[in-house]
Amino acid sequence: MTQLRTVQVLGGGSTGSSAHVRSLAAGLVARGVGVTVCAPAPLEHEYDFLGAGAHFVPVPRRGDPAAVGALRAACGGAHVVHAHGLHAAVRTALALSGQDVPLVVTWHSRAQPGGAHGQVVRLLERRVARTASVVLGTSSELVDRARGRGARDARLAPVAVPPPRHGSPESKARAELGAVERPLLTAVGRLEPGRGYGTLLDAAHEWLGLDPVPLVAIAGEGRERASLQRRIDTEGLPVRLLGRRDDVSDLLAASDLALLPSRWEARSLLAQEALRLGVPLVATRVGGNPELVGSAAEFVPYGDAAALAAAVSGLLADPDRRRRLAAAGRAHAATWPTEDETIAQILSIYDELTAPSRGGRRR
């Protein structure tokens, strides 16, 4: 039986999909699979795919016409190609045109544009869904979406990433933020529309009346940074924009609450890390959040600042409720698929698609 050779393709490289590909590459290589990762060059510096034992081919970000040619060359000789995200899948499908190579696509999230852009996205989703041999969704909602777009084979594949590691003392992290004697509320994610940060700032007005006033720390960068900072400065809100951080686990471990106010999520990394660390989570009841965390979080409607403010205020005033949520979170996190189980599921799909051409199934 010949060695299985795979190509993993990333587009813009969201945190979730990039971490998943790093984990998947390391696990596949350890099982004797040849892995090539195609992604924008900066992602190699951040995720060290070479260190996982994979080959790495830099591919320009989406929109660059050179990307399809680079992908076509990189996919030569592959038994199966796996694209992560819609734009990566579109370019990969073009690169594989005319080649008899199975294409697996994982949908880690979904775009939410309206108008003409939304129509284009739906057309792209249909093209990808109908071209792919298998579409994997990280939440049941994404699986249903793929089926609705015409996927011939759509399956649930709830990806797992390494458990959070934090090394700094919690007191140090709190001291650096100025939250030694006040509650620390942490949110993580790109500063972009749909992340719910406007609602979070609205809620922060209500927390000005608490004693002590909690500090809201937001880790992430994005195009809304300037407008959010103007609001914080103008309105005197107890909010700090921390920018991009490589110590998110330390920040979460030091926090009293984790906040996830976004418009939609599939399988939120913040939610996973918070529950594993035993940090009570307040999240919007949207997308895959209820499926992911079950009853181990406090849910609020998206865009409802009053509900968010009340949920946080109530938890800060109720230490017992926070302890129960922390315990429930750890217990629920223990039910999630492990990295090994995730890799085994993906590998079984690869074998299913390629075994006849390679001389039998993997044992």
Side-chain angles (χ1 to χ4, degrees), residues 162-307:
R165 296 182 177 89
H166 62 96
S168 299
E170 295 176 15
S171 57
K172 179 181 178 183
R174 295 182 72 100
E176 289 176 347
L177 294 173
V180 174
E181 297 182 354
R182 61 194 296 196
L184 177 61
L185 319 177
T186 299
V188 180
R190 294 179 179 177
L191 308 183
E192 296 180 348
R195 300 299 302 184
Y197 293 132
T199 302
L200 181 52
L201 297 192
D202 291 339
H205 275 285
E206 301 298 322
W207 303 326
L208 287 170
L210 298 180
D211 184 18
V213 176
L215 174 67
V216 181
I218 303 176
E221 272 297 353
R223 52 184 166 163
E224 289 203 321
R225 182 185 180 99
S227 60
L228 292 171
Q229 190 63 60
R230 280 195 298 271
R231 277 200 61 188
I232 293 167
D233 294 340
T234 301
E235 301 170 27
L237 299 177
V239 180
R240 286 189 58 183
L241 303 182
L242 305 181
R244 185 178 180 83
R245 300 285 293 238
D246 58 8
D247 61 346
V248 167
S249 293
D250 291 333
L251 288 171
L252 283 174
S255 301
D256 296 281
L257 298 175
L259 307 181
L260 186 62
S262 45
R263 179 180 177 187
W264 191 86
E265 296 283 348
R267 194 170 177 84
S268 164
L269 286 179
L270 169 68
Q272 292 182 64
E273 290 208 14
L275 265 62
R276 282 170 166 162
L277 290 167
V279 179
L281 173 69
V282 179
T284 45
R285 191 181 291 278
V286 299
N289 285 346
E291 180 179 29
L292 175 65
V293 305
S295 59
E298 189 87 10
F299 285 112
V300 296
Y302 169 71
D304 190 333

Side-chain angles (χ1 to χ4, degrees), residues 21-30 35 47-55:
V21 169
R22 176 55 164 82
S23 170
L24 185 58
L28 291 173
V29 168
V35 179
Y47 290 95
D48 189 23
F49 302 112
L50 290 170
H55 299 288

Side-chain angles (χ1 to χ4, degrees), residues 73-108:
C75 292
H79 292 108
V80 61
V81 178
H82 191 161
H84 299 264
L86 178 62
H87 293 284
V90 170
R91 290 183 298 160
T92 304
L94 288 172
L96 294 178
S97 179
Q99 301 182 46
D100 188 21
V101 180
L103 173 61
V104 178
V105 173
T106 294
W107 285 3
H108 294 266

